[in-house]
Amino acid sequence: MSHHIIEARMEHLQALCTIDQEVIGDSSRAEEIQQAIKEKRCLLYLSADTIAGFLLFSNDFFGYSFISLVIVKPSERRKGIASALMTAYIQMAKTAKVFSSTNQSNRRMHQLFHNLGFVKSGFIDNLDEGDPEIIYMKQASPQT
């Protein structure tokens, strides 16, 4: 199966928003996705000319790189797409550490962090009531 990871462009916005809406049930993140594309902070996974998933990142988490969102189309899950997106971002990250987070209840994401060599780095209460946000970190090789 042929695939590649590219930087998202504005022409991809509607497809990314459609995938996000399929996953979370609403279009509340459309503006966030659009802004990330404009700022070149969005990677997407193309599989046979279809967008199978995407990743949003920032570089302002206490001065470190941060993966803020990884979304994979439900029909494309369990195929290594999230791993591929995260690995591609870690390789291009501009800081020596990459952070990310997930809710305590998101078991699949905890397993993915473990598989990719992330370590727990703390938690934040009071974001989602009764479901703390667990912060993870991975040592990366910063690009110069």
Side-chain angles (χ1 to χ4, degrees):
M1 178 158 108
S2 172
H3 75 272
H4 55 286
I5 294 170
I6 63 169
E7 183 180 286
R9 297 183 303 272
M10 223 25 98
E11 67 201 55
H12 301 122
L13 177 62
Q14 188 54 55
L16 299 184
C17 289
T18 299
I19 293 168
D20 191 54
Q21 187 167 350
E22 185 180 352
V23 171
I24 67 168
D26 63 49
S27 59
S28 61
R29 294 194 290 222
E31 200 172 296
E32 178 185 352
I33 295 166
Q34 182 175 6
Q35 193 63 34
I37 293 171
K38 280 183 185 172
E39 296 174 1
K40 301 183 182 309
R41 297 184 296 101
C42 180
L43 301 178
L44 60 82
Y45 185 106
L46 279 176
S47 174
D49 296 326
T50 300
I51 298 171
F54 65 97
L55 176 150
L56 303 184
F57 64 89
S58 67
N59 295 303
D60 57 5
F61 185 75
F62 299 96
Y64 289 99
S65 299
F66 186 80
I67 297 169
S68 56
L69 184 66
V70 181
I71 293 286
V72 176
K73 200 182 224 179
S75 62
E76 299 297 315
R77 290 188 174 158
R78 313 296 301 158
K79 296 179 181 178
I81 293 166
S83 293
L85 283 163
M86 290 175 70
T87 299
Y89 177 67
I90 291 162
Q91 290 170 350
M92 65 178 270
K94 295 184 178 349
T95 61
K97 296 175 185 173
V98 173
F99 287 86
S100 192
S101 69
T102 193
N103 288 94
Q104 183 173 305
S105 63
N106 190 341
R107 297 191 190 290
R108 280 191 193 152
M109 199 64 195
H110 291 287
Q111 187 61 51
L112 179 58
F113 284 133
H114 175 76
N115 293 349
L116 293 177
F118 279 78
V119 295
K120 283 185 183 178
S121 194
F123 68 95
I124 301 171
D125 277 327
N126 305 311
L127 291 174
D128 293 324
E129 202 58 45
D131 196 4
E133 192 76 8
I134 310 299
I135 310 296
Y136 283 88
M137 184 277 302
K138 178 170 175 65
Q139 291 291 145
S141 302
Q143 302 301 305
T144 52

